[in-house]
């Protein structure tokens, strides 16, 4: 028995190409000039967040009825890719804004969606996704944060770690144990927590290798009281909701990785044409040509897999988890290889911040880590592959 193939192939529409091209121009003219400073200061780029909101880019994945553009997965990934080629932090703003709202979109009631989504779609508010804890990274079943029912409220106690944009978010989708005696993976629930509620605070901000302008926060919940109407879905559905979220959010990280790889390739190719050694541009040397050719081939392969995965997931492929994992796996590894080779092409100049490839190399590493490490992605892919052959 052979594994099933994709249920749909991708082909960019005229509208998608127009959007991609428009975001590329925006990235080149407005985002790229800010990228080095964002990395140097490690400050969240509020100006670029406002730019993305004003251009409706933050609203791309949100339903039209709640003020969004109702874009499909591939269209959203095109925007993330184009932004990330200039600045991974800026591309991540869009990716996180989609990730963290997906539980509301997928499991929220009409009242809940009306309550939260319009502000998010317009970019008036930001949202973060809080699953990971100090002792629960890849093992989401080890989550210790508790939510206890108290009358018409839930009281949340615990902490979350490594939460992207957690310190700048207005809302947080939080996963907590509601049935301590329940079965593993069936005892979690998901809540929307407004960050101005008493008992919520930001503990520490991480000092990171890359994506330095995106604050990665520890979030503390000390008796945070939220109404029962902030529960998404039913009690015990949190783990399932988180996994379904990753099926649509991991391609966004793959898009970030493809964008970083493309940005590094572009810099390396330009440099190779301009850098003269031994009396001629280094682009004339076959070793440099071979490196650039491999970088290009790897980037294009990762891009094609990403776009195909987006089309398959959007079409309702029954193996969406595998598609999400395999595109993130390939794209993340590609970003790391291509950016490392870009540094090599630039030589000593690649190792200093006169050129952006050293930043791109540092940024690329996170795409192999968050929303599931590459080892977790391989586990997801292998399980699907083996199950299809039983």
């Amino acid at each position: 028995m052979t594994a099933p193939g994709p249920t749909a192939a991708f082909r960019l529409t005229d509208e998608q190409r127009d959007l991609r091209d428009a975001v590329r121009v925006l990235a080149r003219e407005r985002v790229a000039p800010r990228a080095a400073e964002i990395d140097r200061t490690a400050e969240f780029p509020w100006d670029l967040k406002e730019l993305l909101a004003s251009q409706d880019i933050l609203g791309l994945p949100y339903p039209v009825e709640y003020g969004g553009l109702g874009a499909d997965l591939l269209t959203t990934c095109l925007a993330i890719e184009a932004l990330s080629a200039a600045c991974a932090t800026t591309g991540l703003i869009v990716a996180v804004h989609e990730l963290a709202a997906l539980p509301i979109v997928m499991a929220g009631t009409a009242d809940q969606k009306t309550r939260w989504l319009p502000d998010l779609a317009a970019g008036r508010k930001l949202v973060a996704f809080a699953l990971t804890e100090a002792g629960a990274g890849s093992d989401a079943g080890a989550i210790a944060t508790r939510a206890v029912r108290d009358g018409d409220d839930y009281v949340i106690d615990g902490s979350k770690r490594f939460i992207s944009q957690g310190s700048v978010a207005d809302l947080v989708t939080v996963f907590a144990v509601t049935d301590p005696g329940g079965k593993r993976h069936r005892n979690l629930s998901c809540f929307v927590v407004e960050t101005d509620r008493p008992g919520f605070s930001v503990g520490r901000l991480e000092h990171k290798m890359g994506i330095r302008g995106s604050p990665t926060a520890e979030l503390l919940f000390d008796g945070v009281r939220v109404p029962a109407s902030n529960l998404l879905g039913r009690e015990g559905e949190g783990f399932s909701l988180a996994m379904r979220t990753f099926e649509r959010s991991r391609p966004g990280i793959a898009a970030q990785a493809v964008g970083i790889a493309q940005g590094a390739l572009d810099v390396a190719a330009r440099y190779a044409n301009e850098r003269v050694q031994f009396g001629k541009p280094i682009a004339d040397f076959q070793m440099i040509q071979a490196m650039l050719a491999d970088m290009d081939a790897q980037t294009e392969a990762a891009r094609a897999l990403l776009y195909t995965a987006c089309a398959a997931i959007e079409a309702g492929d029954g193996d969406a988890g595998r598609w999400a994992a395999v595109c993130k796996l390939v794209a993340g590894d590609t970003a790391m290889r291509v950016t490392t080779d870009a540094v090599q092409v630039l030589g000593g100049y690649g190792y200093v911040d006169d050129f952006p490839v050293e930043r791109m190399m540092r940024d690329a590493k996170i795409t192999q880590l968050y929303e599931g490490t590459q080892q977790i992605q391989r586990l997801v892919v292998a399980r699907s592959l083996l199950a299809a052959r039983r």
Side-chain angles (χ1 to χ4, degrees), residues 208-233:
K208 306 191 302 294
M209 174 191 296
I211 57 165
R212 288 168 50 79
S214 176
T216 301
E218 177 187 35
L219 305 182
L220 306 178
F221 302 84
D222 183 10
V224 177
R225 185 175 290 271
V226 298
S229 59
N230 282 30
L231 171 68
L232 295 175

Side-chain angles (χ1 to χ4, degrees), residues 44 52 58 79-81 83-84 87-99 127 164-165 208 210-216 252-253 256 366-367 370-371:
F44 183 74
L52 297 177
L58 287 183
I80 295 171
E81 178 190 341
L83 292 167
S84 299
C87 174
T89 288
T90 304
L92 186 60
I93 295 174
V94 181
V96 170
H97 203 57
E98 178 200 27
L99 158 70
V127 60
S164 296
Q165 298 174 191
K208 306 191 302 294
I211 57 165
R212 288 168 50 79
S214 176
T216 301
I253 301 306
Q256 182 189 38
I366 193 61
T367 66
Y370 60 6
E371 291 207 33

Side-chain angles (χ1 to χ4, degrees), residues 188-250:
L188 289 179
S189 302
C190 182
F191 301 86
V192 175
V193 177
E194 297 88 354
T195 59
D196 60 356
R197 288 189 176 275
F200 174 87
S201 63
V202 176
R204 57 179 286 176
L205 295 178
E206 307 295 343
H207 179 76
K208 306 191 302 294
M209 174 191 296
I211 57 165
R212 288 168 50 79
S214 176
T216 301
E218 177 187 35
L219 305 182
L220 306 178
F221 302 84
D222 183 10
V224 177
R225 185 175 290 271
V226 298
S229 59
N230 282 30
L231 171 68
L232 295 175
R234 294 190 294 270
E235 282 194 12
E237 294 182 340
F239 183 81
S240 173
L241 181 56
M243 296 305 105
R244 287 191 290 126
T245 295
F246 288 145
E247 290 177 359
R248 295 191 67 87
S249 65
R250 282 173 175 161

